[in-house]
Amino acid sequence: MAAPLALPQGTASAGHRFEFDVIVVGAGIMGSCAAHEAASRGARALLLERFNLLHHRGSSHGESRIIRDAYAKARYLPMVRLARRLWADAEAESGYRVLTPAPHLSMGPRSHASLVAAVENAGAEEVDLALRWGGAFRVPDGWLTAVSEHGGGVLSATKAVAMFQALAVKKGAAVRDNAEVVSIEKGPEGGVAVKTSGGEEFHGAKCVVTVGAWASKLLRSVAGVELPIQPLHTLTLYWRIKPGCEGNLTAKAGFPTFSSYGDPPVYGTPSLELPGLIKISCDGGPPCDPDGRDWGSGDREVTERVARWIEESMAGHVEAAGGPVIRQSCMCSMTPDADFVIDFLGGDFGEDVVVGAGFSGHGFKMGPAVGKILAEMAIDGKANTAAEAGVELGHYRINRFDGNPMGNAKDY
């Protein structure tokens, strides 16, 4: 049986209509950042997590995520720059580091429109790979290879989530794990009533839903809203660096994070969290049910594709024979247009429920910015920070899918 929840100071019994000002459902990076922002503003915040805190069943766990300016869609540049500032603020507040700076290398055929746009948007400079990083990369003649020297890096994912949860608690938020939310309803006196599978019921003025791969299921259940978000089973792979090359591929040596826009679409980070190994993986994966994963679907195909890429592009420095040393499962929640969902739920809930979902494999880096925006929407009914930073939230509305299953993709 769960221990009684210690409520924050100033609960309903002290003259407030509700126990909480903001209830955040889902304690991955987005929810943890939203709870931190709400608590930082003095709101009585509750953060609920279905599983153990820092679990490995969603999309916010693991050792590393890339942060970069190299975005083909210019709409994301203001958001990532806001996020980078907020990452620095959180590191200063916590007293420890979760972001290791690194340049970012973008490479691929010059005919690849997304690559060209990403390079231009980031202001990246073309480089001769034969002269960089000990010739670690070998790519086809005529490829575009460009580096963004500043603003990128590697985020320590699980550590970052823990940091925001700790900061939220420090600011007065209540956190409860193993609390699966099964119902969100309009409260009898306004606001929302949030019920868990354990029979607990919490009342809040507003609710923020950030449940990752479970978003479609939960919102269909509580509001009859159909969000076209498809969870994918993804794979993180670590490969052995060849003897004598270990020091050249480290973050300390200035080795970059990288994205290859060829076939397959590969990304990687410098050797950092596991000495002697380097993370090189492939975008995408097979569709999955977050409640019924087999944990191995598509793994062989993904591993073989990445191994072939290593043999073609990094064979002198990374060992592909024998496969990866470590395989880690993850999920990403894809929208049809690969754009986020950041919006009020609407309908009977109006502006009492705010949704952050469908981060499509590129949301982690944006966590502090998204969390701040979600908290402001819940508390203020609008996101002033987004407007001030030049983040246009109109791209992320739920109604973009009304009568248009491809959403923003129709614009490309």
Side-chain angles (χ1 to χ4, degrees):
M1 176 181 253
L5 181 65
L7 300 179
Q9 293 182 352
T11 61
S13 60
H16 294 271
R17 292 176 63 199
F18 309 108
E19 296 168 288
F20 299 97
D21 298 309
V22 180
I23 299 174
V24 181
V25 182
I29 187 62
M30 302 305 179
S32 299
C33 289
H36 168 251
E37 175 62 23
S40 295
R41 294 189 51 183
R44 295 163 301 132
L46 169 64
L47 178 61
L48 297 174
E49 169 54 50
R50 174 179 181 176
F51 304 111
N52 288 326
L53 294 178
L54 308 180
H55 64 86
H56 285 206
R57 297 179 63 173
S59 305
S60 292
H61 62 282
E63 295 299 325
S64 57
R65 297 291 191 281
I66 295 172
I67 183 169
R68 56 183 168 82
D69 276 348
Y71 258 94
K73 297 177 181 178
R75 69 178 63 129
Y76 285 103
L77 297 181
M79 188 182 292
V80 75
R81 290 165 183 164
L82 170 61
R84 192 163 56 230
R85 174 171 64 81
L86 296 175
W87 280 113
D89 290 348
E91 287 182 315
E93 185 181 351
S94 68
Y96 55 85
R97 191 178 71 178
V98 297
L99 172 58
T100 300
H104 183 76
L105 167 65
S106 302
M107 54 186 166
R110 288 184 179 273
S111 59
H112 200 295
S114 293
L115 167 63
V116 172
V119 168
E120 292 177 351
N121 288 336
E125 296 185 1
E126 291 197 42
V127 296
D128 184 348
L129 289 184
L131 304 177
R132 299 292 297 267
W133 307 299
F137 295 101
R138 183 180 64 202
V139 300
D141 292 340
W143 265 30
L144 172 60
T145 55
V147 173
S148 311
E149 293 287 358
H150 305 289
V154 181
L155 292 159
S156 180
T158 299
K159 183 180 179 183
V161 177
M163 175 182 73
F164 275 103
Q165 291 174 0
L167 292 175
V169 171
K170 182 179 178 181
K171 293 293 186 179
V175 179
R176 165 67 65 83
D177 64 357
N178 294 299
E180 178 187 6
V181 169
V182 295
S183 173
I184 302 172
E185 301 174 355
K186 290 289 293 181
E189 299 180 6
V192 293
V194 176
K195 300 178 182 179
T196 72
S197 59
E200 295 176 293
E201 183 170 337
F202 304 104
H203 296 268
K206 299 296 176 70
C207 179
V208 176
V209 177
T210 52
V211 293
W214 287 266
S216 290
K217 288 188 172 187
L218 182 60
L219 294 175
R220 182 186 305 119
S221 172
V222 304
V225 171
E226 294 288 344
L227 276 183
I229 296 175
Q230 175 61 63
L232 303 182
H233 171 81
T234 61
L235 197 61
T236 299
L237 305 173
Y238 288 88
W239 307 79
R240 192 174 304 283
I241 301 171
K242 290 188 173 180
C245 299
E246 295 90 346
N248 297 331
L249 306 192
T250 64
K252 187 176 181 180
F255 197 75
T257 60
F258 58 90
S259 301
S260 175
Y261 288 73
D263 183 18
V266 165
Y267 66 92
T269 60
S271 181
L272 181 62
E273 58 266 34
L274 298 170
L277 304 182
I278 185 169
K279 175 181 171 179
I280 306 176
S281 299
C282 181
D283 288 337
C288 70
D289 178 349
D291 293 313
R293 298 165 69 187
D294 67 9
W295 301 96
S297 177
D299 285 7
R300 179 177 177 180
E301 293 83 354
V302 169
T303 299
E304 289 178 350
R305 294 181 76 194
V306 176
R308 284 195 298 271
W309 184 91
I310 292 172
E311 290 170 349
E312 294 170 356
S313 304
M314 297 188 73
H317 288 70
V318 180
E319 183 60 66
V325 178
I326 296 174
R327 298 171 173 84
Q328 296 175 342
S329 295
C330 193
M331 284 191 293
C332 66
S333 302
M334 298 298 300
T335 60
D337 51 18
D339 284 328
F340 305 163
V341 172
I342 302 173
D343 201 359
F344 297 107
L345 182 55
D348 292 341
F349 289 100
E351 296 185 356
D352 288 345
V353 176
V354 186
V355 177
F359 294 101
S360 299
H362 63 107
F364 192 97
K365 69 180 76 66
M366 308 292 196
V370 172
K372 188 176 184 70
I373 289 167
L374 293 171
E376 288 185 354
M377 291 173 67
I379 296 170
D380 301 327
K382 58 183 178 178
N384 288 328
T385 295
E388 293 165 2
V391 177
E392 176 49 64
L393 294 179
H395 298 296
Y396 312 118
R397 300 300 186 207
I398 293 173
N399 66 7
R400 73 180 188 266
F401 299 111
D402 291 350
N404 172 39
M406 295 306 295
N408 295 326
K410 70 180 188 304
D411 298 328
Y412 294 88

